[in-house]
């Protein structure tokens, strides 16, 4: 059997008619940028999350850097973020000239809230919390800290559409929630897309202006903005996907529970979910000291795997200028050496999953 780490085609074919009808509807409408589909999607996604405002953008990275820009966080300001995130989280901080201050992750792969306070200085302006792999971070403790030190709280929800902490959806707990709709995300478009979500009317207004060259009224520009608009066709297709998001998440939870109940191998550490949090299982990430061997073993059986992520941002070439040495974030670096994402996708069959389970259980170092 041949099993890919992810299969976007399955997610398309399940709702093929709805997607194709919507695509044709938009193509035939004669209106392709900032129209009915975008405003309807913004309304529906805000409602889904229980947030007041949603502003569609071109991608998730834009959502991040525009969030920091609007909050006035830039040159020389420090932003606290977990060390083991996707590099886009960090670029969202540094594009504005701000400095990322890395904190080690906990056993749920999210920021270790016990290690944040020691990193706060008088230059700290914000915490960027990343709900990595689809699991909500420990937001109560983080909110306590942002109140105590008067910090802004931005959420990177690129992997966590629909995940909750204490029944509140990620993206609505901090000042700004940043979403990506890159095709492989749980709420994926058929191209790039992103959004900012907020309950703050002023932030929403500034963001709406910023994404369209800083203009509220055509050809009257208030600020130097960006071109970061969500396309009508992507918004329309996202509306279709959003209408099925809960069942898609439910399916991922079932698949993940099945892995959790049936993978037994002493060389492998399975993921866990924190009390009070939920995961939408963007990735199913195991950990093993025998990673190279396991990748080869599974590969020989036709099973593909991915590493999220092999090089932590502080050790990537792009961030050599920060001067953070190898060994300074031992847990982050250990995770980068040991994590492995095994196949998980909407439309994965029982046979496919059983094949993966049997292969992993038969692995001997
Ligand atoms: C995908 C992702 C992003 C960036 O989103 P794009 O739409 O690809 O720009 C940011 N942060 C995290 C954690 C991501 O997984």
């Amino acid at each position: 059997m041949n099993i890919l780490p992810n299969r976007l085609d399955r997610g398309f074919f399940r709702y093929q008619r709805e997607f194709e009808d919507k695509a044709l509807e938009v193509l035939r409408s004669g209106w392709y940028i900032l129209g009915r589909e975008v405003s309807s999607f913004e309304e529906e996604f805000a409602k889904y999350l229980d947030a007041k405002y949603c502003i569609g953008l071109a991608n998730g990275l834009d959502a991040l850097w525009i969030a920091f820009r609007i909050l006035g966080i830039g040159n020389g300001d420090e932003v606290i973020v977990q060390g083991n995130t996707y590099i886009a989280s960090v670029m969202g901080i540094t594009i504005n000239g701000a400095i990322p201050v890395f904190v080690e992750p906990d056993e749920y792969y999210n920021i270790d809230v016990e290690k944040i306070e020691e990193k706060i200085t008088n230059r700290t302006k914000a915490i960027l919390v990343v709900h990595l792999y689809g699991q909500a971070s420990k937001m109560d403790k983080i909110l306590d800290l942002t109140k105590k030190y008067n910090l802004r709280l931005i959420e990177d929800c690129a992997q966590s559409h629909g995940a909750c902490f204490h029944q509140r959806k990620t993206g609505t707990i901090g000042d700004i929630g940043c979403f990506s709709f890159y095709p492989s995300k749980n709420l994926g478009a058929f191209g790039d897309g992103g959004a900012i979500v907020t309950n703050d009317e002023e932030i929403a207004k500034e963001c709406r202006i910023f994404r369209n060259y800083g203009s509220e009224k055509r050809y009257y520009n208030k600020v130097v903005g960006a071109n970061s608009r969500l396309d009508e066709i992507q918004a329309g297709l996202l509306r279709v996907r959003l209408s099925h998001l809960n069942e898609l998440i439910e399916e991922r939870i079932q698949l993940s529970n099945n892995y959790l109940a049936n993978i037994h191998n002493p060389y492998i550490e399975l993921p866990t979910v924190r009390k009070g949090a939920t995961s939408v299982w963007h990735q199913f990430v195991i950990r093993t000291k025998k990673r190279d061997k396991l990748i080869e073993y599974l590969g020989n059986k036709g099973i593909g795997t991915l590493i999220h992520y092999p090089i932590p941002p502080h050790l990537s070439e792009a961030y050599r200028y920060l001067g953070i040495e190898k060994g300074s974030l031992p847990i982050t670096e250990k995770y980068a050496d040991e994590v492995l994402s095994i196949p998980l996708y909407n439309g994965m069959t029982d046979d496919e999953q059983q094949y993966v389970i049997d292969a992993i259980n038969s692995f001997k170092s």
Side-chain angles (χ1 to χ4, degrees), residues 44-51 129 131 134-137 139 143 155 157 160-179 197-199 242 245-246 249 276-278 280:
E44 289 160 11
F45 193 48
K47 186 159 177 246
Y48 174 82
L49 297 172
D50 195 19
V129 61
H131 307 291
Q135 176 167 182
S137 304
M139 298 306 284
L143 278 171
E155 296 177 75
C157 306
S160 69
H161 320 72
C164 293
F165 185 76
H166 290 168
Q167 278 77 48
R168 283 171 79 187
K169 292 224 166 65
T170 56
T172 68
I173 303 168
D175 296 293
I176 299 182
C178 301
F179 288 85
V197 165
T198 183
N199 287 321
L242 178 60
L245 184 58
N246 281 340
I249 291 171
T278 67
V280 292

mmCIF file of all heavy atoms in Angstrom, residues 44-51 129 131 134-137 139 143 155 157 160-179 197-199 242 245-246 249 276-278 280:
data_model
loop_
_atom_site.group_PDB
_atom_site.id
_atom_site.type_symbol
_atom_site.label_atom_id
_atom_site.label_comp_id
_atom_site.label_asym_id
_atom_site.label_seq_id
_atom_site.Cartn_x
_atom_site.Cartn_y
_atom_site.Cartn_z
ATOM 1 N N GLU A 44 -19.171 34.834 8.330
ATOM 2 C CA GLU A 44 -19.407 33.443 8.761
ATOM 3 C C GLU A 44 -18.264 32.905 9.621
ATOM 4 O O GLU A 44 -18.501 32.169 10.586
ATOM 5 C CB GLU A 44 -19.613 32.551 7.524
ATOM 6 C CG GLU A 44 -20.950 32.815 6.829
ATOM 7 C CD GLU A 44 -20.999 32.352 5.383
ATOM 8 O OE1 GLU A 44 -20.067 31.636 4.949
ATOM 9 O OE2 GLU A 44 -21.967 32.714 4.679
ATOM 10 N N PHE A 45 -17.037 33.293 9.277
ATOM 11 C CA PHE A 45 -15.907 32.787 10.071
ATOM 12 C C PHE A 45 -15.890 33.458 11.451
ATOM 13 O O PHE A 45 -15.627 32.809 12.460
ATOM 14 C CB PHE A 45 -14.584 32.996 9.323
ATOM 15 C CG PHE A 45 -13.426 32.236 9.929
ATOM 16 C CD1 PHE A 45 -13.550 30.881 10.254
ATOM 17 C CD2 PHE A 45 -12.208 32.848 10.171
ATOM 18 C CE1 PHE A 45 -12.491 30.162 10.822
ATOM 19 C CE2 PHE A 45 -11.135 32.145 10.725
ATOM 20 C CZ PHE A 45 -11.282 30.806 11.045
ATOM 21 N N ALA A 46 -16.195 34.749 11.491
ATOM 22 C CA ALA A 46 -16.284 35.432 12.783
ATOM 23 C C ALA A 46 -17.358 34.770 13.650
ATOM 24 O O ALA A 46 -17.157 34.530 14.841
ATOM 25 C CB ALA A 46 -16.593 36.916 12.577
ATOM 26 N N LYS A 47 -18.493 34.451 13.037
ATOM 27 C CA LYS A 47 -19.581 33.816 13.765
ATOM 28 C C LYS A 47 -19.160 32.431 14.260
ATOM 29 O O LYS A 47 -19.427 32.052 15.406
ATOM 30 C CB LYS A 47 -20.803 33.717 12.846
ATOM 31 C CG LYS A 47 -22.032 33.208 13.520
ATOM 32 C CD LYS A 47 -23.301 33.609 12.752
ATOM 33 C CE LYS A 47 -24.504 32.998 13.437
ATOM 34 N NZ LYS A 47 -25.177 31.987 12.606
ATOM 35 N N TYR A 48 -18.470 31.697 13.406
ATOM 36 C CA TYR A 48 -18.011 30.354 13.784
ATOM 37 C C TYR A 48 -17.118 30.414 15.027
ATOM 38 O O TYR A 48 -17.213 29.590 15.922
ATOM 39 C CB TYR A 48 -17.249 29.715 12.620
ATOM 40 C CG TYR A 48 -16.620 28.381 12.961
ATOM 41 C CD1 TYR A 48 -17.372 27.210 12.928
ATOM 42 C CD2 TYR A 48 -15.290 28.300 13.357
ATOM 43 C CE1 TYR A 48 -16.812 25.989 13.268
ATOM 44 C CE2 TYR A 48 -14.725 27.082 13.695
ATOM 45 C CZ TYR A 48 -15.492 25.930 13.648
ATOM 46 O OH TYR A 48 -14.932 24.728 14.009
ATOM 47 N N LEU A 49 -16.260 31.435 15.057
ATOM 48 C CA LEU A 49 -15.308 31.539 16.168
ATOM 49 C C LEU A 49 -15.909 32.231 17.381
ATOM 50 O O LEU A 49 -15.350 32.170 18.469
ATOM 51 C CB LEU A 49 -14.075 32.335 15.722
ATOM 52 C CG LEU A 49 -13.226 31.733 14.605
ATOM 53 C CD1 LEU A 49 -12.182 32.747 14.163
ATOM 54 C CD2 LEU A 49 -12.564 30.446 15.053
ATOM 55 N N ASP A 50 -17.041 32.905 17.173
ATOM 56 C CA ASP A 50 -17.622 33.770 18.186
ATOM 57 C C ASP A 50 -16.727 34.991 18.432
ATOM 58 O O ASP A 50 -16.395 35.330 19.571
ATOM 59 C CB ASP A 50 -17.895 33.000 19.488
ATOM 60 C CG ASP A 50 -18.834 33.778 20.409
ATOM 61 O OD1 ASP A 50 -19.524 34.688 19.911
ATOM 62 O OD2 ASP A 50 -18.850 33.487 21.624
ATOM 63 N N ALA A 51 -16.313 35.613 17.333
ATOM 64 C CA ALA A 51 -15.533 36.859 17.383
ATOM 65 C C ALA A 51 -16.361 37.949 16.724
ATOM 66 O O ALA A 51 -17.293 37.667 15.981
ATOM 67 C CB ALA A 51 -14.219 36.692 16.635
ATOM 68 N N VAL A 129 1.467 33.633 20.779
ATOM 69 C CA VAL A 129 1.236 32.248 21.178
ATOM 70 C C VAL A 129 0.863 31.456 19.925
ATOM 71 O O VAL A 129 0.060 31.904 19.102
ATOM 72 C CB VAL A 129 0.156 32.170 22.287
ATOM 73 C CG1 VAL A 129 -1.161 32.712 21.824
ATOM 74 C CG2 VAL A 129 -0.014 30.750 22.784
ATOM 75 N N HIS A 131 -0.608 27.937 18.512
ATOM 76 C CA HIS A 131 -1.322 26.712 18.902
ATOM 77 C C HIS A 131 -0.863 25.600 17.958
ATOM 78 O O HIS A 131 -1.554 25.225 17.012
ATOM 79 C CB HIS A 131 -2.825 26.943 18.826
ATOM 80 C CG HIS A 131 -3.274 28.154 19.602
ATOM 81 N ND1 HIS A 131 -3.236 28.198 20.981
ATOM 82 C CD2 HIS A 131 -3.748 29.363 19.206
ATOM 83 C CE1 HIS A 131 -3.688 29.374 21.389
ATOM 84 N NE2 HIS A 131 -4.000 30.105 20.329
ATOM 85 N N GLY A 134 -2.315 22.102 16.141
ATOM 86 C CA GLY A 134 -3.767 22.092 16.287
ATOM 87 C C GLY A 134 -4.270 22.108 17.710
ATOM 88 O O GLY A 134 -5.481 22.157 17.945
ATOM 89 N N GLN A 135 -3.343 22.074 18.682
ATOM 90 C CA GLN A 135 -3.779 22.072 20.084
ATOM 91 C C GLN A 135 -3.689 23.474 20.700
ATOM 92 O O GLN A 135 -2.668 24.161 20.575
ATOM 93 C CB GLN A 135 -2.926 21.104 20.918
ATOM 94 C CG GLN A 135 -3.302 21.164 22.382
ATOM 95 C CD GLN A 135 -2.766 20.047 23.266
ATOM 96 O OE1 GLN A 135 -3.061 20.007 24.442
ATOM 97 N NE2 GLN A 135 -2.006 19.123 22.714
ATOM 98 N N ALA A 136 -4.756 23.862 21.394
ATOM 99 C CA ALA A 136 -4.767 25.168 22.054
ATOM 100 C C ALA A 136 -3.729 25.212 23.170
ATOM 101 O O ALA A 136 -3.538 24.240 23.901
ATOM 102 C CB ALA A 136 -6.156 25.449 22.623
ATOM 103 N N SER A 137 -3.060 26.361 23.289
ATOM 104 C CA SER A 137 -2.068 26.564 24.345
ATOM 105 C C SER A 137 -2.760 26.868 25.667
ATOM 106 O O SER A 137 -3.960 27.114 25.709
ATOM 107 C CB SER A 137 -1.153 27.732 23.979
ATOM 108 O OG SER A 137 -0.562 27.514 22.725
ATOM 109 N N MET A 139 -3.958 29.068 27.862
ATOM 110 C CA MET A 139 -4.222 30.502 27.732
ATOM 111 C C MET A 139 -4.491 31.215 29.047
ATOM 112 O O MET A 139 -4.287 32.427 29.144
ATOM 113 C CB MET A 139 -5.382 30.726 26.765
ATOM 114 C CG MET A 139 -5.118 30.237 25.357
ATOM 115 S SD MET A 139 -3.609 30.904 24.635
ATOM 116 C CE MET A 139 -4.131 32.562 24.231
ATOM 117 N N LEU A 143 -2.776 34.738 29.757
ATOM 118 C CA LEU A 143 -3.580 35.956 29.967
ATOM 119 C C LEU A 143 -3.196 36.653 31.276
ATOM 120 O O LEU A 143 -3.146 37.887 31.331
ATOM 121 C CB LEU A 143 -5.073 35.602 29.979
ATOM 122 C CG LEU A 143 -5.736 35.447 28.604
ATOM 123 C CD1 LEU A 143 -7.143 34.893 28.755
ATOM 124 C CD2 LEU A 143 -5.761 36.777 27.846
ATOM 125 N N GLU A 155 -2.341 35.655 18.650
ATOM 126 C CA GLU A 155 -2.421 34.198 18.512
ATOM 127 C C GLU A 155 -2.127 33.784 17.070
ATOM 128 O O GLU A 155 -2.758 34.302 16.152
ATOM 129 C CB GLU A 155 -3.818 33.707 18.900
ATOM 130 C CG GLU A 155 -4.176 33.938 20.350
ATOM 131 C CD GLU A 155 -5.612 33.486 20.619
ATOM 132 O OE1 GLU A 155 -5.842 32.267 20.694
ATOM 133 O OE2 GLU A 155 -6.489 34.353 20.727
ATOM 134 N N CYS A 157 -2.915 31.114 14.767
ATOM 135 C CA CYS A 157 -3.902 30.028 14.677
ATOM 136 C C CYS A 157 -3.851 29.329 13.321
ATOM 137 O O CYS A 157 -4.842 28.726 12.904
ATOM 138 C CB CYS A 157 -5.305 30.585 14.892
ATOM 139 S SG CYS A 157 -5.480 31.507 16.406
ATOM 140 N N SER A 160 -4.812 25.860 14.001
ATOM 141 C CA SER A 160 -5.738 25.547 15.102
ATOM 142 C C SER A 160 -7.183 26.018 14.881
ATOM 143 O O SER A 160 -7.901 26.253 15.858
ATOM 144 C CB SER A 160 -5.211 26.160 16.402
ATOM 145 O OG SER A 160 -5.289 27.571 16.353
ATOM 146 N N HIS A 161 -7.624 26.129 13.643
ATOM 147 C CA HIS A 161 -9.007 26.553 13.373
ATOM 148 C C HIS A 161 -9.987 25.658 14.139
ATOM 149 O O HIS A 161 -10.082 24.466 13.868
ATOM 150 C CB HIS A 161 -9.348 26.450 11.894
ATOM 151 C CG HIS A 161 -8.253 26.884 10.960
ATOM 152 N ND1 HIS A 161 -7.105 26.151 10.752
ATOM 153 C CD2 HIS A 161 -8.145 27.978 10.185
ATOM 154 C CE1 HIS A 161 -6.331 26.788 9.882
ATOM 155 N NE2 HIS A 161 -6.941 27.897 9.524
ATOM 156 N N GLY A 162 -10.697 26.239 15.076
ATOM 157 C CA GLY A 162 -11.720 25.479 15.795
ATOM 158 C C GLY A 162 -11.264 24.886 17.124
ATOM 159 O O GLY A 162 -12.086 24.405 17.903
ATOM 160 N N ALA A 163 -9.968 24.923 17.420
ATOM 161 C CA ALA A 163 -9.488 24.393 18.703
ATOM 162 C C ALA A 163 -9.851 25.353 19.826
ATOM 163 O O ALA A 163 -9.910 26.566 19.618
ATOM 164 C CB ALA A 163 -7.977 24.191 18.664
ATOM 165 N N CYS A 164 -10.109 24.806 21.030
ATOM 166 C CA CYS A 164 -10.592 25.630 22.146
ATOM 167 C C CYS A 164 -9.718 25.512 23.380
ATOM 168 O O CYS A 164 -9.122 24.462 23.631
ATOM 169 C CB CYS A 164 -11.990 25.181 22.559
ATOM 170 S SG CYS A 164 -13.239 25.503 21.326
ATOM 171 N N PHE A 165 -9.675 26.592 24.149
ATOM 172 C CA PHE A 165 -9.179 26.510 25.518
ATOM 173 C C PHE A 165 -10.305 26.989 26.427
ATOM 174 O O PHE A 165 -10.794 28.108 26.265
ATOM 175 C CB PHE A 165 -7.917 27.355 25.727
ATOM 176 C CG PHE A 165 -7.334 27.170 27.099
ATOM 177 C CD1 PHE A 165 -6.615 26.018 27.401
ATOM 178 C CD2 PHE A 165 -7.544 28.103 28.095
ATOM 179 C CE1 PHE A 165 -6.095 25.817 28.672
ATOM 180 C CE2 PHE A 165 -7.034 27.904 29.380
ATOM 181 C CZ PHE A 165 -6.309 26.758 29.666
ATOM 182 N N HIS A 166 -10.709 26.136 27.357
ATOM 183 C CA HIS A 166 -11.863 26.423 28.219
ATOM 184 C C HIS A 166 -13.053 26.921 27.393
ATOM 185 O O HIS A 166 -13.634 27.974 27.691
ATOM 186 C CB HIS A 166 -11.499 27.442 29.300
ATOM 187 C CG HIS A 166 -10.566 26.856 30.331
ATOM 188 N ND1 HIS A 166 -9.899 27.623 31.260
ATOM 189 C CD2 HIS A 166 -10.182 25.579 30.576
ATOM 190 C CE1 HIS A 166 -9.147 26.849 32.027
ATOM 191 N NE2 HIS A 166 -9.303 25.594 31.630
ATOM 192 N N GLN A 167 -13.392 26.166 26.359
ATOM 193 C CA GLN A 167 -14.561 26.439 25.504
ATOM 194 C C GLN A 167 -14.453 27.686 24.632
ATOM 195 O O GLN A 167 -15.366 27.983 23.871
ATOM 196 C CB GLN A 167 -15.868 26.540 26.329
ATOM 197 C CG GLN A 167 -16.501 25.201 26.667
ATOM 198 C CD GLN A 167 -15.782 24.503 27.803
ATOM 199 O OE1 GLN A 167 -15.505 25.116 28.830
ATOM 200 N NE2 GLN A 167 -15.475 23.237 27.609
ATOM 201 N N ARG A 168 -13.352 28.423 24.745
ATOM 202 C CA ARG A 168 -13.199 29.594 23.857
ATOM 203 C C ARG A 168 -12.315 29.218 22.683
ATOM 204 O O ARG A 168 -11.251 28.624 22.862
ATOM 205 C CB ARG A 168 -12.578 30.772 24.613
ATOM 206 C CG ARG A 168 -13.589 31.474 25.508
ATOM 207 C CD ARG A 168 -12.888 32.479 26.382
ATOM 208 N NE ARG A 168 -12.579 33.730 25.673
ATOM 209 C CZ ARG A 168 -11.848 34.695 26.222
ATOM 210 N NH1 ARG A 168 -11.332 34.563 27.427
ATOM 211 N NH2 ARG A 168 -11.638 35.813 25.549
ATOM 212 N N LYS A 169 -12.733 29.615 21.492
ATOM 213 C CA LYS A 169 -11.969 29.238 20.302
ATOM 214 C C LYS A 169 -10.666 30.030 20.198
ATOM 215 O O LYS A 169 -10.634 31.238 20.478
ATOM 216 C CB LYS A 169 -12.811 29.455 19.044
ATOM 217 C CG LYS A 169 -13.988 28.470 18.962
ATOM 218 C CD LYS A 169 -14.137 27.886 17.571
ATOM 219 C CE LYS A 169 -15.057 26.676 17.540
ATOM 220 N NZ LYS A 169 -16.446 26.988 17.881
ATOM 221 N N THR A 170 -9.613 29.355 19.805
ATOM 222 C CA THR A 170 -8.339 30.040 19.600
ATOM 223 C C THR A 170 -8.524 31.114 18.530
ATOM 224 O O THR A 170 -9.275 30.937 17.575
ATOM 225 C CB THR A 170 -7.238 29.063 19.164
ATOM 226 O OG1 THR A 170 -7.654 28.371 17.981
ATOM 227 C CG2 THR A 170 -6.940 28.040 20.254
ATOM 228 N N GLY A 171 -7.853 32.222 18.749
ATOM 229 C CA GLY A 171 -7.980 33.360 17.829
ATOM 230 C C GLY A 171 -8.881 34.434 18.390
ATOM 231 O O GLY A 171 -8.900 35.562 17.884
ATOM 232 N N THR A 172 -9.644 34.097 19.442
ATOM 233 C CA THR A 172 -10.565 35.075 20.029
ATOM 234 C C THR A 172 -10.187 35.413 21.467
ATOM 235 O O THR A 172 -10.873 36.157 22.142
ATOM 236 C CB THR A 172 -12.018 34.549 20.041
ATOM 237 O OG1 THR A 172 -12.101 33.442 20.972
ATOM 238 C CG2 THR A 172 -12.440 34.070 18.675
ATOM 239 N N ILE A 173 -9.086 34.844 21.940
ATOM 240 C CA ILE A 173 -8.706 35.000 23.348
ATOM 241 C C ILE A 173 -7.762 36.189 23.528
ATOM 242 O O ILE A 173 -7.846 36.921 24.501
ATOM 243 C CB ILE A 173 -8.086 33.686 23.871
ATOM 244 C CG1 ILE A 173 -9.087 32.528 23.669
ATOM 245 C CG2 ILE A 173 -7.707 33.808 25.350
ATOM 246 C CD1 ILE A 173 -8.523 31.135 23.871
ATOM 247 N N GLY A 174 -6.866 36.398 22.575
ATOM 248 C CA GLY A 174 -5.927 37.523 22.643
ATOM 249 C C GLY A 174 -6.479 38.764 21.957
ATOM 250 O O GLY A 174 -7.672 38.854 21.664
ATOM 251 N N ASP A 175 -5.579 39.726 21.676
ATOM 252 C CA ASP A 175 -5.988 40.956 20.977
ATOM 253 C C ASP A 175 -6.300 40.670 19.510
ATOM 254 O O ASP A 175 -7.229 41.235 18.951
ATOM 255 C CB ASP A 175 -4.873 42.006 21.047
ATOM 256 C CG ASP A 175 -4.617 42.450 22.472
ATOM 257 O OD1 ASP A 175 -5.506 43.090 23.045
ATOM 258 O OD2 ASP A 175 -3.542 42.128 23.021
ATOM 259 N N ILE A 176 -5.457 39.832 18.905
ATOM 260 C CA ILE A 176 -5.617 39.521 17.487
ATOM 261 C C ILE A 176 -5.339 38.030 17.260
ATOM 262 O O ILE A 176 -4.366 37.488 17.773
ATOM 263 C CB ILE A 176 -4.638 40.347 16.618
ATOM 264 C CG1 ILE A 176 -4.898 41.860 16.780
ATOM 265 C CG2 ILE A 176 -4.733 39.945 15.151
ATOM 266 C CD1 ILE A 176 -3.997 42.738 15.922
ATOM 267 N N GLY A 177 -6.192 37.398 16.471
ATOM 268 C CA GLY A 177 -5.954 36.021 16.036
ATOM 269 C C GLY A 177 -5.560 36.031 14.568
ATOM 270 O O GLY A 177 -6.202 36.696 13.751
ATOM 271 N N CYS A 178 -4.483 35.299 14.230
ATOM 272 C CA CYS A 178 -3.982 35.266 12.855
ATOM 273 C C CYS A 178 -4.182 33.877 12.266
ATOM 274 O O CYS A 178 -3.732 32.891 12.837
ATOM 275 C CB CYS A 178 -2.503 35.616 12.834
ATOM 276 S SG CYS A 178 -2.166 37.250 13.527
ATOM 277 N N PHE A 179 -4.859 33.813 11.137
ATOM 278 C CA PHE A 179 -5.172 32.528 10.510
ATOM 279 C C PHE A 179 -4.552 32.416 9.131
ATOM 280 O O PHE A 179 -4.403 33.414 8.424
ATOM 281 C CB PHE A 179 -6.693 32.364 10.380
ATOM 282 C CG PHE A 179 -7.383 32.109 11.687
ATOM 283 C CD1 PHE A 179 -7.748 33.174 12.500
ATOM 284 C CD2 PHE A 179 -7.650 30.815 12.118
ATOM 285 C CE1 PHE A 179 -8.375 32.950 13.727
ATOM 286 C CE2 PHE A 179 -8.280 30.584 13.335
ATOM 287 C CZ PHE A 179 -8.643 31.659 14.138
ATOM 288 N N VAL A 197 -8.531 38.071 13.021
ATOM 289 C CA VAL A 197 -9.775 38.050 13.772
ATOM 290 C C VAL A 197 -9.565 38.866 15.041
ATOM 291 O O VAL A 197 -8.505 38.780 15.660
ATOM 292 C CB VAL A 197 -10.150 36.584 14.101
ATOM 293 C CG1 VAL A 197 -11.202 36.516 15.176
ATOM 294 C CG2 VAL A 197 -10.614 35.868 12.835
ATOM 295 N N THR A 198 -10.540 39.675 15.403
ATOM 296 C CA THR A 198 -10.397 40.499 16.606
ATOM 297 C C THR A 198 -11.772 40.907 17.131
ATOM 298 O O THR A 198 -12.754 40.889 16.391
ATOM 299 C CB THR A 198 -9.541 41.766 16.311
ATOM 300 O OG1 THR A 198 -9.362 42.505 17.510
ATOM 301 C CG2 THR A 198 -10.207 42.662 15.271
ATOM 302 N N ASN A 199 -11.797 41.279 18.405
ATOM 303 C CA ASN A 199 -13.022 41.847 18.969
ATOM 304 C C ASN A 199 -12.924 43.360 19.107
ATOM 305 O O ASN A 199 -13.842 44.004 19.614
ATOM 306 C CB ASN A 199 -13.306 41.231 20.352
ATOM 307 C CG ASN A 199 -13.804 39.797 20.216
ATOM 308 O OD1 ASN A 199 -14.584 39.476 19.321
ATOM 309 N ND2 ASN A 199 -13.316 38.922 21.086
ATOM 310 N N LEU A 242 -15.837 25.806 5.220
ATOM 311 C CA LEU A 242 -16.234 26.183 6.580
ATOM 312 C C LEU A 242 -17.560 25.541 6.968
ATOM 313 O O LEU A 242 -17.744 25.142 8.123
ATOM 314 C CB LEU A 242 -16.333 27.716 6.683
ATOM 315 C CG LEU A 242 -16.774 28.291 8.029
ATOM 316 C CD1 LEU A 242 -15.796 27.897 9.143
ATOM 317 C CD2 LEU A 242 -16.879 29.826 7.949
ATOM 318 N N LEU A 245 -16.629 22.332 8.362
ATOM 319 C CA LEU A 245 -15.434 22.263 9.207
ATOM 320 C C LEU A 245 -15.633 21.386 10.441
ATOM 321 O O LEU A 245 -14.753 20.605 10.799
ATOM 322 C CB LEU A 245 -14.963 23.672 9.611
ATOM 323 C CG LEU A 245 -13.665 23.727 10.429
ATOM 324 C CD1 LEU A 245 -12.506 23.070 9.686
ATOM 325 C CD2 LEU A 245 -13.288 25.167 10.788
ATOM 326 N N ASN A 246 -16.785 21.490 11.078
ATOM 327 C CA ASN A 246 -16.969 20.694 12.295
ATOM 328 C C ASN A 246 -16.889 19.194 12.025
ATOM 329 O O ASN A 246 -16.289 18.453 12.804
ATOM 330 C CB ASN A 246 -18.283 21.057 12.986
ATOM 331 C CG ASN A 246 -18.151 22.349 13.787
ATOM 332 O OD1 ASN A 246 -17.034 22.762 14.135
ATOM 333 N ND2 ASN A 246 -19.270 22.999 14.059
ATOM 334 N N ILE A 249 -13.219 18.309 11.427
ATOM 335 C CA ILE A 249 -12.467 18.242 12.687
ATOM 336 C C ILE A 249 -12.808 16.946 13.426
ATOM 337 O O ILE A 249 -11.931 16.247 13.933
ATOM 338 C CB ILE A 249 -12.783 19.461 13.586
ATOM 339 C CG1 ILE A 249 -12.215 20.739 12.976
ATOM 340 C CG2 ILE A 249 -12.246 19.258 14.998
ATOM 341 C CD1 ILE A 249 -12.651 22.020 13.684
ATOM 342 N N GLY A 276 -8.513 20.870 29.683
ATOM 343 C CA GLY A 276 -9.031 22.217 29.432
ATOM 344 C C GLY A 276 -8.812 22.684 28.004
ATOM 345 O O GLY A 276 -9.377 23.680 27.584
ATOM 346 N N ALA A 277 -7.962 21.950 27.268
ATOM 347 C CA ALA A 277 -7.684 22.324 25.872
ATOM 348 C C ALA A 277 -8.264 21.266 24.935
ATOM 349 O O ALA A 277 -8.497 20.125 25.336
ATOM 350 C CB ALA A 277 -6.179 22.428 25.650
ATOM 351 N N THR A 278 -8.493 21.659 23.682
ATOM 352 C CA THR A 278 -8.815 20.667 22.661
ATOM 353 C C THR A 278 -7.804 20.801 21.528
ATOM 354 O O THR A 278 -7.148 21.828 21.375
ATOM 355 C CB THR A 278 -10.237 20.848 22.078
ATOM 356 O OG1 THR A 278 -10.287 22.078 21.339
ATOM 357 C CG2 THR A 278 -11.297 20.865 23.169
ATOM 358 N N VAL A 280 -7.387 20.093 17.267
ATOM 359 C CA VAL A 280 -8.055 19.761 16.001
ATOM 360 C C VAL A 280 -7.116 18.934 15.121
ATOM 361 O O VAL A 280 -7.373 18.726 13.944
ATOM 362 C CB VAL A 280 -8.549 21.021 15.263
ATOM 363 C CG1 VAL A 280 -9.686 21.676 16.045
ATOM 364 C CG2 VAL A 280 -7.417 22.027 15.034
#
